[in-house]
Amino acid sequence: MNILRKQFQYNYHGIVFILICINLIAYAATLFFPMTSFVFGMNFYGLLHRRWWWQPLTYMFMHGNPQHLLFNMLGLGFFGIMVERAIGSAEFLLFYVVCGVLSGLLSMALYFFTGLYGITLLGASGAIYAVLLLYATIFPRAQIFVFYIIPIPAPLLVILYSIIALANQVLGFRPEIAHTAHLFGFVFAYLYLKIRMGISPLKIWRDTYRR
């Protein structure tokens, strides 16, 4: 048996709610102790000089401002609850952590090789973009209402977000946002689905909209 595809027994424990609570508590901590963002965010000083090895995990729970926190938690709640119910809490947590950690590490590697040594990476965006791709794979016919009025099929939204993130990164728009983490979230979600679950999101989307 391929150990990478060994399945967990299905269970549902409301992991999304726990993750949201951890994010809220972590943000509250930054309001009283501002250095918390630096210590638990991901940066080269912590990783290379202080060996704060927890940063690739804890950066996902740190946010720079209320808007960043709000939009990420809305995305996690909206997409994450349905995904967790579909695949089970253990699988969801593994998926969330693996995609979040790897998207953060690859983003930091890219920053390193481009000379951006002063970056502190914060936020759950990479993991949440991964959840969005998984949501669009499980529910390929789902409609997401952008601005509450424009219905867009979930797979198309993933493609549009990918294009927007790539364009913003290449053109340098909104440099305070880690566009690479968003893109890498999609990349690692796709690889996770192919390697662990043996499914191809692109094939599912193509087959769905051929009918």
Side-chain angles (χ1 to χ4, degrees), residues 42 56 59-60 96-109 111 121 123-128 130 180-189:
M42 186 156 44
Y59 91 95
M60 294 189 289
Y96 187 87
V97 170
V98 167
C99 292
V101 168
L102 292 179
S103 64
L105 286 173
L106 196 53
S107 294
M108 293 301 289
Y111 292 141
L121 195 60
S125 299
I128 292 169
T180 55
H182 300 172
L183 287 169
F184 292 145
F186 283 146
V187 169
F188 285 114

PDB file of all heavy atoms in Angstrom, residues 42 56 59-60 96-109 111 121 123-128 130 180-189:
ATOM      1  N   MET A  42       6.952  34.607   9.849  1.00  0.00           N
ATOM      2  CA  MET A  42       8.112  33.920   9.274  1.00  0.00           C
ATOM      3  C   MET A  42       9.042  34.946   8.645  1.00  0.00           C
ATOM      4  O   MET A  42       8.639  35.715   7.767  1.00  0.00           O
ATOM      5  CB  MET A  42       7.673  32.869   8.238  1.00  0.00           C
ATOM      6  CG  MET A  42       8.838  32.047   7.724  1.00  0.00           C
ATOM      7  SD  MET A  42       8.443  30.402   7.053  1.00  0.00           S
ATOM      8  CE  MET A  42       7.007  30.695   6.044  1.00  0.00           C
ATOM      9  N   PRO A  56       7.468  28.410  10.276  1.00  0.00           N
ATOM     10  CA  PRO A  56       6.739  27.952   9.083  1.00  0.00           C
ATOM     11  C   PRO A  56       5.317  27.487   9.388  1.00  0.00           C
ATOM     12  O   PRO A  56       4.476  27.452   8.481  1.00  0.00           O
ATOM     13  CB  PRO A  56       7.602  26.790   8.573  1.00  0.00           C
ATOM     14  CG  PRO A  56       8.983  27.135   9.037  1.00  0.00           C
ATOM     15  CD  PRO A  56       8.780  27.751  10.400  1.00  0.00           C
ATOM     16  N   TYR A  59       3.316  31.187  11.337  1.00  0.00           N
ATOM     17  CA  TYR A  59       3.054  32.383  10.531  1.00  0.00           C
ATOM     18  C   TYR A  59       1.630  32.384   9.993  1.00  0.00           C
ATOM     19  O   TYR A  59       1.041  33.453   9.734  1.00  0.00           O
ATOM     20  CB  TYR A  59       4.063  32.479   9.363  1.00  0.00           C
ATOM     21  CG  TYR A  59       3.602  31.815   8.094  1.00  0.00           C
ATOM     22  CD1 TYR A  59       2.962  32.531   7.083  1.00  0.00           C
ATOM     23  CD2 TYR A  59       3.775  30.436   7.895  1.00  0.00           C
ATOM     24  CE1 TYR A  59       2.536  31.923   5.918  1.00  0.00           C
ATOM     25  CE2 TYR A  59       3.354  29.825   6.739  1.00  0.00           C
ATOM     26  CZ  TYR A  59       2.731  30.566   5.754  1.00  0.00           C
ATOM     27  OH  TYR A  59       2.292  29.955   4.598  1.00  0.00           O
ATOM     28  N   MET A  60       1.056  31.192   9.815  1.00  0.00           N
ATOM     29  CA  MET A  60      -0.301  31.081   9.276  1.00  0.00           C
ATOM     30  C   MET A  60      -1.362  31.634  10.214  1.00  0.00           C
ATOM     31  O   MET A  60      -2.495  31.893   9.794  1.00  0.00           O
ATOM     32  CB  MET A  60      -0.627  29.616   8.968  1.00  0.00           C
ATOM     33  CG  MET A  60       0.179  29.009   7.868  1.00  0.00           C
ATOM     34  SD  MET A  60      -0.434  27.374   7.397  1.00  0.00           S
ATOM     35  CE  MET A  60       0.040  26.411   8.819  1.00  0.00           C
ATOM     36  N   TYR A  96      -4.519  21.356   5.195  1.00  0.00           N
ATOM     37  CA  TYR A  96      -4.365  22.772   5.550  1.00  0.00           C
ATOM     38  C   TYR A  96      -2.934  23.072   5.993  1.00  0.00           C
ATOM     39  O   TYR A  96      -2.316  24.040   5.528  1.00  0.00           O
ATOM     40  CB  TYR A  96      -5.353  23.109   6.665  1.00  0.00           C
ATOM     41  CG  TYR A  96      -5.425  24.572   7.033  1.00  0.00           C
ATOM     42  CD1 TYR A  96      -6.277  25.432   6.359  1.00  0.00           C
ATOM     43  CD2 TYR A  96      -4.657  25.091   8.079  1.00  0.00           C
ATOM     44  CE1 TYR A  96      -6.363  26.775   6.705  1.00  0.00           C
ATOM     45  CE2 TYR A  96      -4.739  26.426   8.427  1.00  0.00           C
ATOM     46  CZ  TYR A  96      -5.592  27.261   7.740  1.00  0.00           C
ATOM     47  OH  TYR A  96      -5.671  28.588   8.092  1.00  0.00           O
ATOM     48  N   VAL A  97      -2.387  22.235   6.864  1.00  0.00           N
ATOM     49  CA  VAL A  97      -1.048  22.470   7.398  1.00  0.00           C
ATOM     50  C   VAL A  97       0.012  22.270   6.318  1.00  0.00           C
ATOM     51  O   VAL A  97       0.923  23.090   6.156  1.00  0.00           O
ATOM     52  CB  VAL A  97      -0.780  21.558   8.608  1.00  0.00           C
ATOM     53  CG1 VAL A  97       0.690  21.612   9.016  1.00  0.00           C
ATOM     54  CG2 VAL A  97      -1.668  21.973   9.779  1.00  0.00           C
ATOM     55  N   VAL A  98      -0.089  21.167   5.570  1.00  0.00           N
ATOM     56  CA  VAL A  98       0.910  20.877   4.536  1.00  0.00           C
ATOM     57  C   VAL A  98       0.950  22.001   3.501  1.00  0.00           C
ATOM     58  O   VAL A  98       2.026  22.520   3.169  1.00  0.00           O
ATOM     59  CB  VAL A  98       0.612  19.523   3.861  1.00  0.00           C
ATOM     60  CG1 VAL A  98       1.432  19.370   2.577  1.00  0.00           C
ATOM     61  CG2 VAL A  98       0.925  18.385   4.815  1.00  0.00           C
ATOM     62  N   CYS A  99      -0.206  22.391   2.988  1.00  0.00           N
ATOM     63  CA  CYS A  99      -0.238  23.430   1.951  1.00  0.00           C
ATOM     64  C   CYS A  99       0.199  24.780   2.506  1.00  0.00           C
ATOM     65  O   CYS A  99       0.919  25.533   1.836  1.00  0.00           O
ATOM     66  CB  CYS A  99      -1.638  23.533   1.349  1.00  0.00           C
ATOM     67  SG  CYS A  99      -2.129  22.084   0.386  1.00  0.00           S
ATOM     68  N   GLY A 100      -0.213  25.094   3.727  1.00  0.00           N
ATOM     69  CA  GLY A 100       0.174  26.364   4.324  1.00  0.00           C
ATOM     70  C   GLY A 100       1.659  26.453   4.595  1.00  0.00           C
ATOM     71  O   GLY A 100       2.310  27.462   4.292  1.00  0.00           O
ATOM     72  N   VAL A 101       2.225  25.405   5.172  1.00  0.00           N
ATOM     73  CA  VAL A 101       3.656  25.395   5.484  1.00  0.00           C
ATOM     74  C   VAL A 101       4.492  25.454   4.214  1.00  0.00           C
ATOM     75  O   VAL A 101       5.425  26.259   4.092  1.00  0.00           O
ATOM     76  CB  VAL A 101       4.022  24.145   6.317  1.00  0.00           C
ATOM     77  CG1 VAL A 101       5.532  23.975   6.396  1.00  0.00           C
ATOM     78  CG2 VAL A 101       3.432  24.257   7.723  1.00  0.00           C
ATOM     79  N   LEU A 102       4.166  24.619   3.230  1.00  0.00           N
ATOM     80  CA  LEU A 102       4.966  24.566   2.012  1.00  0.00           C
ATOM     81  C   LEU A 102       4.846  25.847   1.187  1.00  0.00           C
ATOM     82  O   LEU A 102       5.844  26.317   0.622  1.00  0.00           O
ATOM     83  CB  LEU A 102       4.567  23.355   1.169  1.00  0.00           C
ATOM     84  CG  LEU A 102       4.924  21.990   1.774  1.00  0.00           C
ATOM     85  CD1 LEU A 102       4.451  20.863   0.860  1.00  0.00           C
ATOM     86  CD2 LEU A 102       6.420  21.871   2.028  1.00  0.00           C
ATOM     87  N   SER A 103       3.665  26.424   1.119  1.00  0.00           N
ATOM     88  CA  SER A 103       3.524  27.673   0.361  1.00  0.00           C
ATOM     89  C   SER A 103       4.308  28.788   1.026  1.00  0.00           C
ATOM     90  O   SER A 103       4.913  29.630   0.340  1.00  0.00           O
ATOM     91  CB  SER A 103       2.049  28.054   0.207  1.00  0.00           C
ATOM     92  OG  SER A 103       1.450  28.326   1.462  1.00  0.00           O
ATOM     93  N   GLY A 104       4.347  28.804   2.364  1.00  0.00           N
ATOM     94  CA  GLY A 104       5.136  29.802   3.071  1.00  0.00           C
ATOM     95  C   GLY A 104       6.625  29.614   2.860  1.00  0.00           C
ATOM     96  O   GLY A 104       7.357  30.576   2.588  1.00  0.00           O
ATOM     97  N   LEU A 105       7.095  28.383   2.977  1.00  0.00           N
ATOM     98  CA  LEU A 105       8.519  28.114   2.812  1.00  0.00           C
ATOM     99  C   LEU A 105       8.993  28.429   1.392  1.00  0.00           C
ATOM    100  O   LEU A 105      10.078  28.997   1.200  1.00  0.00           O
ATOM    101  CB  LEU A 105       8.817  26.651   3.147  1.00  0.00           C
ATOM    102  CG  LEU A 105       8.787  26.289   4.633  1.00  0.00           C
ATOM    103  CD1 LEU A 105       8.931  24.784   4.811  1.00  0.00           C
ATOM    104  CD2 LEU A 105       9.892  27.027   5.400  1.00  0.00           C
ATOM    105  N   LEU A 106       8.200  28.067   0.400  1.00  0.00           N
ATOM    106  CA  LEU A 106       8.615  28.345  -0.973  1.00  0.00           C
ATOM    107  C   LEU A 106       8.593  29.851  -1.247  1.00  0.00           C
ATOM    108  O   LEU A 106       9.450  30.366  -1.983  1.00  0.00           O
ATOM    109  CB  LEU A 106       7.710  27.606  -1.961  1.00  0.00           C
ATOM    110  CG  LEU A 106       8.247  27.496  -3.388  1.00  0.00           C
ATOM    111  CD1 LEU A 106       9.648  26.897  -3.414  1.00  0.00           C
ATOM    112  CD2 LEU A 106       7.309  26.669  -4.254  1.00  0.00           C
ATOM    113  N   SER A 107       7.636  30.551  -0.662  1.00  0.00           N
ATOM    114  CA  SER A 107       7.612  32.007  -0.800  1.00  0.00           C
ATOM    115  C   SER A 107       8.867  32.623  -0.199  1.00  0.00           C
ATOM    116  O   SER A 107       9.490  33.515  -0.798  1.00  0.00           O
ATOM    117  CB  SER A 107       6.368  32.589  -0.118  1.00  0.00           C
ATOM    118  OG  SER A 107       5.191  32.178  -0.765  1.00  0.00           O
ATOM    119  N   MET A 108       9.269  32.148   0.985  1.00  0.00           N
ATOM    120  CA  MET A 108      10.470  32.669   1.627  1.00  0.00           C
ATOM    121  C   MET A 108      11.714  32.348   0.801  1.00  0.00           C
ATOM    122  O   MET A 108      12.637  33.167   0.711  1.00  0.00           O
ATOM    123  CB  MET A 108      10.604  32.102   3.040  1.00  0.00           C
ATOM    124  CG  MET A 108       9.533  32.566   4.008  1.00  0.00           C
ATOM    125  SD  MET A 108       9.454  34.356   4.225  1.00  0.00           S
ATOM    126  CE  MET A 108      10.970  34.660   5.141  1.00  0.00           C
ATOM    127  N   ALA A 109      11.746  31.174   0.201  1.00  0.00           N
ATOM    128  CA  ALA A 109      12.877  30.823  -0.654  1.00  0.00           C
ATOM    129  C   ALA A 109      12.963  31.780  -1.840  1.00  0.00           C
ATOM    130  O   ALA A 109      14.058  32.231  -2.219  1.00  0.00           O
ATOM    131  CB  ALA A 109      12.742  29.381  -1.145  1.00  0.00           C
ATOM    132  N   TYR A 111      11.806  34.875  -1.913  1.00  0.00           N
ATOM    133  CA  TYR A 111      12.258  36.163  -1.380  1.00  0.00           C
ATOM    134  C   TYR A 111      13.772  36.151  -1.159  1.00  0.00           C
ATOM    135  O   TYR A 111      14.461  37.134  -1.421  1.00  0.00           O
ATOM    136  CB  TYR A 111      11.554  36.473  -0.055  1.00  0.00           C
ATOM    137  CG  TYR A 111      10.073  36.752  -0.188  1.00  0.00           C
ATOM    138  CD1 TYR A 111       9.178  36.286   0.767  1.00  0.00           C
ATOM    139  CD2 TYR A 111       9.572  37.477  -1.269  1.00  0.00           C
ATOM    140  CE1 TYR A 111       7.817  36.543   0.657  1.00  0.00           C
ATOM    141  CE2 TYR A 111       8.211  37.727  -1.387  1.00  0.00           C
ATOM    142  CZ  TYR A 111       7.346  37.256  -0.421  1.00  0.00           C
ATOM    143  OH  TYR A 111       6.009  37.515  -0.532  1.00  0.00           O
ATOM    144  N   LEU A 121       6.629  37.176   6.789  1.00  0.00           N
ATOM    145  CA  LEU A 121       5.433  36.610   6.161  1.00  0.00           C
ATOM    146  C   LEU A 121       4.380  36.337   7.225  1.00  0.00           C
ATOM    147  O   LEU A 121       4.651  35.684   8.229  1.00  0.00           O
ATOM    148  CB  LEU A 121       5.799  35.317   5.431  1.00  0.00           C
ATOM    149  CG  LEU A 121       4.779  34.757   4.432  1.00  0.00           C
ATOM    150  CD1 LEU A 121       4.507  35.755   3.310  1.00  0.00           C
ATOM    151  CD2 LEU A 121       5.284  33.445   3.858  1.00  0.00           C
ATOM    152  N   GLY A 123       0.015  35.430   7.839  1.00  0.00           N
ATOM    153  CA  GLY A 123      -1.314  35.167   7.331  1.00  0.00           C
ATOM    154  C   GLY A 123      -1.565  33.765   6.810  1.00  0.00           C
ATOM    155  O   GLY A 123      -0.644  33.062   6.412  1.00  0.00           O
ATOM    156  N   ALA A 124      -2.842  33.425   6.781  1.00  0.00           N
ATOM    157  CA  ALA A 124      -3.280  32.092   6.373  1.00  0.00           C
ATOM    158  C   ALA A 124      -3.634  32.018   4.902  1.00  0.00           C
ATOM    159  O   ALA A 124      -4.194  31.023   4.448  1.00  0.00           O
ATOM    160  CB  ALA A 124      -4.501  31.683   7.212  1.00  0.00           C
ATOM    161  N   SER A 125      -3.287  33.053   4.122  1.00  0.00           N
ATOM    162  CA  SER A 125      -3.767  33.128   2.738  1.00  0.00           C
ATOM    163  C   SER A 125      -3.350  31.930   1.894  1.00  0.00           C
ATOM    164  O   SER A 125      -4.142  31.433   1.094  1.00  0.00           O
ATOM    165  CB  SER A 125      -3.270  34.417   2.090  1.00  0.00           C
ATOM    166  OG  SER A 125      -3.746  35.550   2.780  1.00  0.00           O
ATOM    167  N   GLY A 126      -2.106  31.475   2.018  1.00  0.00           N
ATOM    168  CA  GLY A 126      -1.672  30.337   1.221  1.00  0.00           C
ATOM    169  C   GLY A 126      -2.516  29.105   1.485  1.00  0.00           C
ATOM    170  O   GLY A 126      -2.968  28.423   0.555  1.00  0.00           O
ATOM    171  N   ALA A 127      -2.762  28.820   2.766  1.00  0.00           N
ATOM    172  CA  ALA A 127      -3.583  27.669   3.127  1.00  0.00           C
ATOM    173  C   ALA A 127      -5.026  27.850   2.676  1.00  0.00           C
ATOM    174  O   ALA A 127      -5.676  26.896   2.226  1.00  0.00           O
ATOM    175  CB  ALA A 127      -3.527  27.444   4.641  1.00  0.00           C
ATOM    176  N   ILE A 128      -5.535  29.068   2.770  1.00  0.00           N
ATOM    177  CA  ILE A 128      -6.935  29.315   2.405  1.00  0.00           C
ATOM    178  C   ILE A 128      -7.125  29.241   0.891  1.00  0.00           C
ATOM    179  O   ILE A 128      -8.138  28.729   0.407  1.00  0.00           O
ATOM    180  CB  ILE A 128      -7.406  30.657   2.981  1.00  0.00           C
ATOM    181  CG1 ILE A 128      -7.469  30.546   4.512  1.00  0.00           C
ATOM    182  CG2 ILE A 128      -8.764  31.050   2.415  1.00  0.00           C
ATOM    183  CD1 ILE A 128      -7.669  31.840   5.230  1.00  0.00           C
ATOM    184  N   ALA A 130      -5.450  27.283  -0.929  1.00  0.00           N
ATOM    185  CA  ALA A 130      -5.440  25.835  -1.133  1.00  0.00           C
ATOM    186  C   ALA A 130      -6.826  25.250  -0.852  1.00  0.00           C
ATOM    187  O   ALA A 130      -7.314  24.398  -1.602  1.00  0.00           O
ATOM    188  CB  ALA A 130      -4.396  25.183  -0.231  1.00  0.00           C
ATOM    189  N   THR A 180       2.874  35.514  -3.945  1.00  0.00           N
ATOM    190  CA  THR A 180       3.481  34.204  -4.200  1.00  0.00           C
ATOM    191  C   THR A 180       2.878  33.135  -3.298  1.00  0.00           C
ATOM    192  O   THR A 180       2.699  31.992  -3.726  1.00  0.00           O
ATOM    193  CB  THR A 180       4.999  34.262  -3.984  1.00  0.00           C
ATOM    194  OG1 THR A 180       5.276  34.762  -2.668  1.00  0.00           O
ATOM    195  CG2 THR A 180       5.662  35.152  -5.018  1.00  0.00           C
ATOM    196  N   ALA A 181       2.568  33.487  -2.046  1.00  0.00           N
ATOM    197  CA  ALA A 181       1.961  32.513  -1.133  1.00  0.00           C
ATOM    198  C   ALA A 181       0.604  32.065  -1.658  1.00  0.00           C
ATOM    199  O   ALA A 181       0.227  30.894  -1.525  1.00  0.00           O
ATOM    200  CB  ALA A 181       1.833  33.103   0.270  1.00  0.00           C
ATOM    201  N   HIS A 182      -0.148  32.996  -2.262  1.00  0.00           N
ATOM    202  CA  HIS A 182      -1.439  32.640  -2.843  1.00  0.00           C
ATOM    203  C   HIS A 182      -1.251  31.631  -3.973  1.00  0.00           C
ATOM    204  O   HIS A 182      -1.928  30.593  -4.025  1.00  0.00           O
ATOM    205  CB  HIS A 182      -2.134  33.891  -3.393  1.00  0.00           C
ATOM    206  CG  HIS A 182      -2.400  34.939  -2.369  1.00  0.00           C
ATOM    207  ND1 HIS A 182      -2.875  36.198  -2.686  1.00  0.00           N
ATOM    208  CD2 HIS A 182      -2.245  34.934  -1.016  1.00  0.00           C
ATOM    209  CE1 HIS A 182      -3.021  36.914  -1.589  1.00  0.00           C
ATOM    210  NE2 HIS A 182      -2.641  36.168  -0.566  1.00  0.00           N
ATOM    211  N   LEU A 183      -0.331  31.951  -4.870  1.00  0.00           N
ATOM    212  CA  LEU A 183      -0.076  31.060  -6.002  1.00  0.00           C
ATOM    213  C   LEU A 183       0.423  29.700  -5.535  1.00  0.00           C
ATOM    214  O   LEU A 183      -0.033  28.655  -6.018  1.00  0.00           O
ATOM    215  CB  LEU A 183       0.953  31.694  -6.933  1.00  0.00           C
ATOM    216  CG  LEU A 183       0.470  32.868  -7.777  1.00  0.00           C
ATOM    217  CD1 LEU A 183       1.659  33.561  -8.445  1.00  0.00           C
ATOM    218  CD2 LEU A 183      -0.532  32.405  -8.826  1.00  0.00           C
ATOM    219  N   PHE A 184       1.357  29.705  -4.603  1.00  0.00           N
ATOM    220  CA  PHE A 184       1.901  28.443  -4.122  1.00  0.00           C
ATOM    221  C   PHE A 184       0.855  27.648  -3.345  1.00  0.00           C
ATOM    222  O   PHE A 184       0.925  26.414  -3.297  1.00  0.00           O
ATOM    223  CB  PHE A 184       3.143  28.690  -3.273  1.00  0.00           C
ATOM    224  CG  PHE A 184       4.322  29.214  -4.046  1.00  0.00           C
ATOM    225  CD1 PHE A 184       5.197  30.126  -3.487  1.00  0.00           C
ATOM    226  CD2 PHE A 184       4.551  28.798  -5.350  1.00  0.00           C
ATOM    227  CE1 PHE A 184       6.280  30.618  -4.202  1.00  0.00           C
ATOM    228  CE2 PHE A 184       5.632  29.277  -6.084  1.00  0.00           C
ATOM    229  CZ  PHE A 184       6.494  30.189  -5.507  1.00  0.00           C
ATOM    230  N   GLY A 185      -0.108  28.329  -2.739  1.00  0.00           N
ATOM    231  CA  GLY A 185      -1.213  27.617  -2.104  1.00  0.00           C
ATOM    232  C   GLY A 185      -1.977  26.782  -3.113  1.00  0.00           C
ATOM    233  O   GLY A 185      -2.300  25.614  -2.871  1.00  0.00           O
ATOM    234  N   PHE A 186      -2.263  27.372  -4.269  1.00  0.00           N
ATOM    235  CA  PHE A 186      -2.917  26.629  -5.348  1.00  0.00           C
ATOM    236  C   PHE A 186      -2.032  25.483  -5.840  1.00  0.00           C
ATOM    237  O   PHE A 186      -2.505  24.367  -6.065  1.00  0.00           O
ATOM    238  CB  PHE A 186      -3.233  27.560  -6.516  1.00  0.00           C
ATOM    239  CG  PHE A 186      -4.425  28.449  -6.310  1.00  0.00           C
ATOM    240  CD1 PHE A 186      -4.454  29.727  -6.850  1.00  0.00           C
ATOM    241  CD2 PHE A 186      -5.529  28.011  -5.609  1.00  0.00           C
ATOM    242  CE1 PHE A 186      -5.549  30.543  -6.683  1.00  0.00           C
ATOM    243  CE2 PHE A 186      -6.647  28.826  -5.436  1.00  0.00           C
ATOM    244  CZ  PHE A 186      -6.659  30.098  -5.970  1.00  0.00           C
ATOM    245  N   VAL A 187      -0.744  25.760  -6.014  1.00  0.00           N
ATOM    246  CA  VAL A 187       0.181  24.755  -6.536  1.00  0.00           C
ATOM    247  C   VAL A 187       0.244  23.539  -5.621  1.00  0.00           C
ATOM    248  O   VAL A 187       0.125  22.386  -6.067  1.00  0.00           O
ATOM    249  CB  VAL A 187       1.591  25.356  -6.721  1.00  0.00           C
ATOM    250  CG1 VAL A 187       2.610  24.246  -6.999  1.00  0.00           C
ATOM    251  CG2 VAL A 187       1.592  26.369  -7.850  1.00  0.00           C
ATOM    252  N   PHE A 188       0.422  23.780  -4.325  1.00  0.00           N
ATOM    253  CA  PHE A 188       0.559  22.655  -3.404  1.00  0.00           C
ATOM    254  C   PHE A 188      -0.767  21.943  -3.168  1.00  0.00           C
ATOM    255  O   PHE A 188      -0.781  20.734  -2.912  1.00  0.00           O
ATOM    256  CB  PHE A 188       1.196  23.111  -2.092  1.00  0.00           C
ATOM    257  CG  PHE A 188       2.669  23.368  -2.217  1.00  0.00           C
ATOM    258  CD1 PHE A 188       3.184  24.638  -2.072  1.00  0.00           C
ATOM    259  CD2 PHE A 188       3.538  22.335  -2.531  1.00  0.00           C
ATOM    260  CE1 PHE A 188       4.549  24.885  -2.213  1.00  0.00           C
ATOM    261  CE2 PHE A 188       4.894  22.560  -2.674  1.00  0.00           C
ATOM    262  CZ  PHE A 188       5.405  23.844  -2.517  1.00  0.00           C
ATOM    263  N   ALA A 189      -1.874  22.660  -3.266  1.00  0.00           N
ATOM    264  CA  ALA A 189      -3.171  21.990  -3.187  1.00  0.00           C
ATOM    265  C   ALA A 189      -3.334  21.034  -4.364  1.00  0.00           C
ATOM    266  O   ALA A 189      -3.789  19.894  -4.205  1.00  0.00           O
ATOM    267  CB  ALA A 189      -4.293  23.019  -3.179  1.00  0.00           C
TER     268      ALA A 189
END
